[in-house]
């Protein structure tokens, strides 16, 4: 039986320009609440930023905009995914047709922008081939759709999708088997880019088994840590802070955390996340004990209070153990 009463999601997001960068090449957006009629959509894109990809900031924005438009339609189609056979058809569309359509729409936007903004060249200069034009707009993309019955995510290129499950286990379901070396990554400007899109498919059969936290971030965040364990600890710490304090304080502190990360990665750093609010707590009994005389905690926006995880200059702090996603969840390439 599908649960219809899933609590609405909360979101937090931010983006910081990398140290020494002239422009922030990242783009992000989030829309919706996660209800059946109003699916929650999250997306982050990281324009490549080099001289070869001189219009990649524009390409990143096109990637996010095109993803949100297509994902909104997909989310509405998932409204009745509990009907017999519908879930299978939706999964086939998400795995095969959605990436093709997304890449096609992004290419159309980028080539249209080229036509409206042609560079000044010699009159006899040959017209570049479409693939040469698209390289200027190169970008990565991570996007997710959350409804009461379904969580689907897609990724092309680097960056991170992290999920804290209902039982507290943490996974990176779209992490490649072999990490990209240096700055090399798959891109929307690549030939047959849709073939490189990875998909995570996760039906939600009970409200209690919905993820607690879904985090999308560009690689400026994960590169600020000495290892992948540091990034996992950051996400685990973020989940802990959200559970203990709620989203308001974390939302205020997030810019300082991203700024600290960008100092160490040197890259634009962007994060957007969806938080499933906990059940309202039971009324507390009156506390008859004396005041707490323990050590004072740092204020939420104090950089010392950044959640778990460690940048390359500090010792690691412990975080909850990771784990595998539920068996009914799967990742497609």
């Amino acid at each position: 039986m599908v649960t219809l009463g899933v609590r609405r999601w909360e979101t937090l997001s931010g983006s910081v320009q990398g140290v020494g960068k002239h422009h922030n090449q990242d783009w992000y957006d989030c829309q919706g609440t996660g209800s059946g009629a109003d699916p929650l959509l999250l997306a982050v894109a990281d324009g490549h930023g080099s001289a070869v990809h001189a219009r990649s900031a524009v390409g990143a924005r096109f990637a996010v905009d095109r993803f949100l438009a297509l994902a909104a339609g997909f989310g509405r189609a998932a409204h009745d995914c509990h009907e017999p056979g519908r879930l299978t058809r939706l999964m086939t569309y998400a795995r095969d047709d959605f990436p093709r359509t997304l890449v096609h729409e992004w290419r159309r936007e980028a080539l249209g922008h080229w036509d409206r903004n042609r560079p000044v060249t010699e009159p006899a200069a040959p017209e570049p081939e479409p693939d040469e034009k698209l390289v200027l707009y190169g970008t990565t993309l991570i996007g997710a759709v959350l409804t009461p019955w379904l969580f689907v995510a897609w990724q092309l290129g680097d960056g991170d999708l992290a999920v804290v499950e209902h039982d507290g286990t943490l996974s990176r379901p779209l992490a490649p088997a072999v990490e990209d070396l240096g700055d090399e990554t798959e891109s929307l400007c690549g030939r047959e880019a849709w073939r490189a899109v990875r998909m995570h498919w996760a039906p939600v059969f009970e409200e209690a088994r919905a993820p607690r936290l879904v985090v999308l971030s560009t690689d400026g965040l994960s590169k600020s840590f000495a290892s992948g364990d540091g990034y996992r600890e950051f996400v685990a710490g973020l989940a802990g802070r959200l559970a203990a304090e709620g989203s308001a304080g974390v939302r205020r502190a997030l810019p300082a955390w991203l700024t600290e990360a960008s100092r160490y990665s040197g890259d634009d750093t962007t994060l957007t996340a969806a938080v499933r609010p906990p059940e309202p707590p039971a009324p507390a009994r009156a506390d008859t004990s004396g005041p707490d005389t323990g050590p004072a905690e740092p204020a939420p926006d104090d950089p010392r209070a950044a959640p778990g995880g460690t940048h390359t200059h500090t010792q690691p702090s412990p975080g909850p153990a990771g784990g595998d996603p539920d068996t009914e969840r799967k990742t497609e390439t």
Side-chain angles (χ1 to χ4, degrees):
M1 177 66 67
V2 174
T3 302
L4 301 180
V6 155
R7 295 183 297 279
R8 306 298 175 88
W9 293 78
E10 297 178 0
T11 59
L12 58 147
S13 55
S15 184
V16 173
Q17 182 174 311
V19 175
K21 299 275 188 174
H22 296 295
H23 303 286
N24 189 338
Q25 304 290 326
D26 290 356
W27 195 259
Y28 72 94
D29 202 353
C30 51
Q31 299 177 5
T33 62
S35 69
D38 188 27
L40 176 59
L41 317 174
L42 307 169
V44 297
D46 180 0
H48 301 327
S50 67
V52 176
H53 308 287
R55 301 185 181 186
S56 62
V58 178
R61 182 165 188 169
F62 287 160
V64 169
D65 290 348
R66 289 299 87 211
F67 175 84
L68 293 179
L70 290 171
F74 177 85
R76 290 190 295 270
H79 184 77
D80 297 320
C81 69
H82 54 285
E83 293 179 355
R86 187 155 181 90
L87 197 61
T88 299
R89 293 193 296 272
L90 282 168
M91 185 176 70
T92 301
Y93 173 81
R95 182 191 62 205
D96 301 332
D97 298 330
F98 189 96
R100 284 180 176 270
T101 304
L102 175 63
V103 172
H104 172 78
E105 290 291 310
W106 179 84
R107 290 172 65 98
R108 183 179 61 82
E109 287 279 0
L111 292 175
H113 184 271
W114 165 275
D115 287 339
R116 297 188 303 273
N117 299 271
R118 290 173 173 270
V120 177
T121 60
E122 294 293 331
E127 176 77 2
E129 294 295 323
D131 286 348
E132 297 177 83
K133 300 172 185 176
L134 291 170
V135 166
L136 291 170
Y137 299 86
T139 182
T140 66
L141 176 68
I142 310 173
V145 178
L146 294 114
T147 79
W149 312 279
L150 190 60
F151 164 39
V152 190
W154 297 263
Q155 180 169 353
L156 176 64
D158 55 26
D160 296 275
L161 170 75
V163 182
V164 178
E165 301 287 356
H166 66 283
D167 60 359
T169 59
L170 191 155
S171 63
R172 294 175 58 212
L174 292 178
V178 179
E179 298 287 347
D180 294 322
L181 298 176
D183 293 326
E184 293 296 321
T185 186
E186 299 286 354
S187 173
L188 273 168
C189 70
R191 292 179 179 271
E192 299 186 325
W194 64 85
R195 297 185 183 276
V197 174
R198 308 187 293 278
M199 183 194 75
H200 177 58
W201 177 263
V204 180
F205 297 109
E206 301 175 43
E207 178 180 359
R209 294 176 68 83
R212 295 181 187 176
L213 175 66
V214 176
V215 179
L216 285 65
S217 57
T218 58
D219 69 336
L221 180 58
S222 57
K223 287 195 307 187
S224 71
F225 301 102
S227 69
D229 289 340
Y231 176 77
R232 292 176 66 93
E233 289 168 9
F234 174 90
V235 175
L238 178 63
R241 291 285 295 268
L242 287 164
E245 304 172 13
S247 60
V250 173
R251 190 175 288 111
R252 289 194 300 270
L254 183 61
W257 298 340
L258 297 181
T259 298
E260 182 77 358
S262 72
R263 286 180 54 212
Y264 287 91
S265 69
D267 201 359
D268 304 328
T269 304
T270 300
L271 176 149
T272 186
V275 186
R276 185 164 64 94
E279 291 280 7
R285 295 182 179 181
D287 185 4
T288 57
S289 63
D292 181 9
T293 58
E297 293 289 334
D301 55 352
D302 187 330
R304 295 175 300 154
T310 59
H311 299 290
T312 55
H313 63 300
T314 58
Q315 290 298 112
S317 59
D324 294 326
D326 298 333
T327 55
E328 67 265 309
R329 302 183 178 214
K330 63 189 294 186
T331 298
E332 299 278 355
T333 301

